[in-house]
Amino acid sequence: MKPEDLKAVRAFVKEHLDGRHVELDTFAEKPSDVYDRFRDTGLANWWLPESLGGRGLSLEDGVEIVNELAYGDAGVAFTLFISVLGTSMVELYGSQELKERYLRPMAERGSFCATLGSEQTAGSELAKIGTVVAVDGEELVVTGEKFFSTNTDFADFLLVVGRSAEDPEQSAMVLIPRDTPGVEVVKRWDVIGLRASYTYQVSLKDCRVPVANRLEGSGLRLLEIGLNASRILIAATALGIARRVRDHCMTYAKTKPLRDGVLLDSPVFAAKLGQMEMRIDVMKSHLLRAAREYDAITANPKAADVFHRQGTLKSALTAKMFCGQTGWEVASVGSEMFGGLGYTDELPIGKLVRDMRYVSVVEGGDDVLRDLVFSRYVIPVPRRT
């Protein structure tokens, strides 16, 4: 990434997100003007490969970009990067025809895709999903109900994981164009944070696509692999929010009267902000390490095989858990510094606390990820740190 790219992101945040926390925290129409202006930076879908018309920026670059975007608004950041989950699966396991037909237009238009995995009954136990993928001649027929999916209504295409009708022990990942008959948005969820993002409940009724729209390999394994990049970037939003909390605290402390001076003069405040800065620094260090590990695999000509053997990356799991938990500590301490105002919507701090909470909830809650770390990286002795 060039220095001017990061400058462009910061300029975008300052011009189009700064001061809009009230507007972006309402249950209103998506802020299309914001997405249009981000396209003007030339960085929309920045991770798509140059071979398909994209910028081909690394996940390490993505951490820096998302950090800046989330400083402005975590919901906008989430909308702008979450397509990496679906596109990374297509890039690694889709045919060249699928890549040309669906990823190249995304690079050209700066548009979106969505991934549909979660279901009401299955929850985090994706092995229990009820969506069915059946083969009918040269077509796949997909039927099921998906509970949480971001960007679906305005996506170009959907990546849907379902169970094989012919062999329930097998799963498939299928690319379904958004305008396919049978795709129905049931409702938009009214979430408590990230309200500038758009998460939907979706019904799939006999959605027919060509057999060639199935990605190669087990659908659940592919989803596991795709989650590596998105989990690291979700963790990066915690970094941006934490930085914003710190800066709000500093601004407030400069004018908040305390005894014969202001809050900024208090050694208790200094200790809390010093601790906050330490946490922010460690969060960023771990995020960059996780991103570099991911980038090292993608640079391998046999990246698809390496990811298929590896599955969930330990660093992606620990980055999401650590940043979610540490970011929550930063947000909690920050909100307390504002006293009663920290428990109102009068100042941005209340929104930042609610935005931070999602990091430990989406794409596997912390207890789910703890179990994954234990089963994948503690029980097998050779894989322990």
Side-chain angles (χ1 to χ4, degrees):
M1 179 170 61
K2 300 175 182 177
E4 52 265 35
D5 289 330
L6 205 54
K7 289 181 181 178
V9 176
R10 288 172 179 156
F12 162 80
V13 169
K14 184 174 180 58
E15 183 176 354
H16 300 290
L17 300 182
D18 194 31
R20 295 181 67 178
H21 69 275
V22 173
E23 175 190 352
L24 295 173
D25 197 34
T26 59
F27 191 70
E29 291 299 314
K30 65 181 183 297
S32 298
D33 65 304
V34 171
Y35 307 146
D36 291 340
R37 297 292 76 76
F38 188 71
R39 291 186 188 99
D40 293 342
T41 68
L43 289 167
N45 299 325
W46 61 84
W47 59 87
L48 289 175
E50 291 180 305
S51 61
L52 293 170
R55 289 293 305 276
L57 298 185
S58 66
L59 194 64
E60 185 176 357
D61 292 332
V63 166
E64 298 285 6
I65 292 170
V66 171
N67 176 19
E68 297 297 336
L69 290 173
Y71 185 92
D73 187 85
V76 169
F78 189 61
T79 297
L80 291 172
F81 77 72
I82 196 58
S83 293
V84 73
L85 171 55
T87 60
S88 63
M89 292 187 287
V90 176
E91 186 180 347
L92 286 166
Y93 302 102
S95 66
Q96 190 59 37
E97 181 184 356
L98 283 182
K99 296 174 194 178
E100 290 288 342
R101 181 178 298 177
Y102 294 101
L103 298 190
R104 187 175 293 279
M106 277 190 71
E108 293 172 354
R109 297 195 294 260
S111 51
F112 306 91
C113 73
T115 302
L116 284 65
S118 174
E119 297 183 7
Q120 183 176 14
T121 302
S124 295
E125 295 183 279
L126 290 175
K128 296 181 179 179
I129 55 175
T131 297
V132 174
V133 179
V135 178
D136 183 13
E138 295 300 313
E139 291 184 318
L140 298 174
V141 184
V142 183
T143 300
E145 304 292 326
K146 295 297 185 180
F147 222 44
F148 298 112
S149 177
T150 302
N151 293 1
T152 297
D153 200 30
F154 49 92
D156 289 354
F157 59 90
L158 321 174
L159 275 302
V160 180
V161 62
R163 190 161 302 286
S164 169
E166 292 73 30
D167 182 357
E169 296 299 315
Q170 301 297 317
S171 60
M173 184 68 69
V174 182
L175 189 155
I176 302 177
R178 170 63 183 91
D179 58 2
T180 301
V183 176
E184 176 190 356
V185 170
V186 177
K187 70 175 181 179
R188 176 190 165 199
W189 288 100
D190 190 0
V191 291
I192 66 171
L194 265 69
R195 289 165 65 82
S197 67
Y198 286 69
T199 299
Y200 304 93
Q201 180 180 342
V202 183
S203 177
L204 305 165
K205 299 177 181 177
D206 296 326
C207 299
R208 291 179 172 269
V209 296
V211 170
N213 280 31
R214 175 174 179 167
L215 305 191
E216 182 180 354
S218 162
L220 289 175
R221 188 63 164 180
L222 269 54
L223 181 61
E224 189 176 301
I225 294 164
L227 287 169
N228 286 316
S230 56
R231 281 173 173 159
I232 291 171
L233 294 185
I234 286 170
T237 64
L239 177 62
I241 299 169
R243 291 172 49 239
R244 189 65 179 264
V245 169
R246 175 204 60 199
D247 289 355
H248 276 303
C249 289
M250 284 297 296
T251 300
Y252 181 69
K254 290 176 182 178
T255 58
K256 171 64 177 175
L258 181 68
R259 300 188 181 94
D260 296 328
V262 292
L263 181 59
L264 189 63
D265 302 325
S266 166
V268 175
F269 175 83
K272 287 182 180 293
L273 265 289
Q275 184 83 353
M276 198 178 284
E277 189 67 18
M278 175 200 71
R279 287 170 170 156
I280 288 170
D281 197 53
V282 177
M283 287 165 70
K284 184 168 185 180
S285 295
H286 188 42
L287 280 165
L288 293 176
R289 185 179 74 82
R292 288 174 191 137
E293 181 182 356
Y294 182 91
D295 289 335
I297 296 176
T298 58
N300 188 325
K302 295 185 178 179
D305 294 335
V306 175
F307 273 123
H308 202 273
R309 289 194 301 271
Q310 186 80 7
T312 297
L313 298 181
K314 182 180 183 181
S315 58
L317 296 174
T318 56
K320 184 174 176 297
M321 284 193 293
F322 179 78
C323 290
Q325 294 166 27
T326 305
W328 180 247
E329 292 172 357
V330 169
S332 297
V333 170
S335 68
E336 290 169 9
M337 289 184 185
F338 289 84
L341 284 173
Y343 201 57
T344 70
D345 288 328
E346 188 72 19
L347 299 175
I349 188 69
K351 174 184 182 301
L352 294 171
V353 171
R354 288 184 283 106
D355 285 350
M356 183 69 82
R357 197 67 192 126
Y358 101 105
V359 179
S360 294
V361 175
V362 304
E363 293 196 359
D366 279 0
D367 282 339
V368 174
L369 301 194
R370 288 186 189 102
D371 184 62
L372 270 173
V373 170
F374 178 71
S375 61
R376 302 284 180 87
Y377 293 99
V378 177
I379 291 178
V381 176
R383 301 185 79 182
R384 294 178 189 168
T385 299

